[in-house]
Amino acid sequence: MRNNFSLKIKIFALIFTLIFCFAYSDKADCAKLRRTGTDSSNENEYRRNRTVLPRDGDIAVLVEGDNRQHVAMAEAMIIDELVNHGYHVVDDARLAKMRKDAAKSKAVIYVYEGNLSELIKLNAKYNASATVVARVSSGTPVVNEFKLYTGTASAAITAVTSKGVRLGGKAAQGKAVGYTTDEARQNAINSAVQEGLSQML
């Protein structure tokens, strides 16, 4: 008798869970609720209230830094990550023109000073729904106890939509080793950019 009662309780709980899922949650939340028995409402609330890059239109990428090679590497990484996450990126020809205009207008510098107006103009001119802006820098690598070089880097990554909404903006730190000073710098920048993007995508 007790076994029958226990079975009924389990069936009732399963039916309640399914009803809750269909009424209030998406598929991922349902799976988590069935798997863990815990509600994902806090995560849902975060996802609903978090401003994200627009899915419609093209995303531009502008990167600044002291080293051209590191800037190019960071730019390529950001573009690859955007594409891997299903975003459309501004084509190379438009992006090259946008870079020149951004340098003339100091749009990236202004963004980090809190003035978004120049970048909003560029978004409109080049038909970008948003522009991801990054500033990368690296310190001087030092020799560690294993006779390798340890490099440190930072990547400040933010984005500005065509409507003037700023997304992200936290500076990320990266630390990595390499056999040469340049390799250590590149690996550290790689790490910093990945960390910065993880906060945005």
Side-chain angles (χ1 to χ4, degrees), residues 186-200:
Q186 289 185 24
N187 290 343
I189 288 173
N190 185 356
S191 175
V193 170
Q194 284 182 339
E195 175 61 29
L197 286 174
S198 72
Q199 299 170 7
M200 180 179 295

Side-chain angles (χ1 to χ4, degrees), residues 28-174:
D29 292 321
C30 290
K32 181 171 182 179
L33 185 60
R34 286 194 302 270
R35 189 175 66 252
T36 65
T38 58
D39 184 10
S40 300
S41 57
N42 289 339
E43 293 173 19
N44 269 342
E45 196 62 31
Y46 171 76
R47 275 204 302 272
R48 280 195 292 268
N49 293 328
R50 181 185 180 209
T51 309
V52 295
L53 286 170
R55 287 284 177 183
D56 55 325
D58 298 334
I59 308 294
V61 178
L62 297 174
V63 181
E64 280 201 348
D66 298 329
N67 183 298
R68 273 189 187 179
Q69 185 180 354
H70 297 163
V71 166
M73 182 180 68
E75 184 179 273
M77 281 182 60
I78 294 169
I79 289 173
D80 283 348
E81 281 297 308
L82 287 171
V83 171
N84 289 339
H85 280 78
Y87 292 98
H88 295 284
V89 179
V90 169
D91 61 85
D92 291 341
R94 258 192 302 163
L95 195 53
K97 291 177 182 177
M98 194 173 181
R99 266 194 223 105
K100 288 181 181 177
D101 280 0
K104 287 178 186 175
S105 64
K106 299 182 180 179
V108 174
I109 293 172
Y110 287 145
V111 165
Y112 284 103
E113 291 176 353
N115 182 352
L116 310 182
S117 60
E118 291 301 321
L119 194 55
I120 293 170
K121 289 177 189 174
L122 288 180
N123 282 343
K125 181 176 180 180
Y126 292 99
N127 196 27
S129 57
T131 297
V132 175
V133 176
R135 180 184 286 168
V136 295
S137 61
S138 63
T140 303
V142 296
V143 179
N144 61 29
E145 65 269 27
F146 303 106
K147 305 301 180 184
L148 297 172
Y149 292 94
T150 299
T152 56
S154 65
I157 303 178
T158 188
V160 177
T161 72
S162 58
K163 296 178 181 178
V165 178
R166 183 172 177 172
L167 317 174
K170 291 182 180 178
Q173 305 301 316

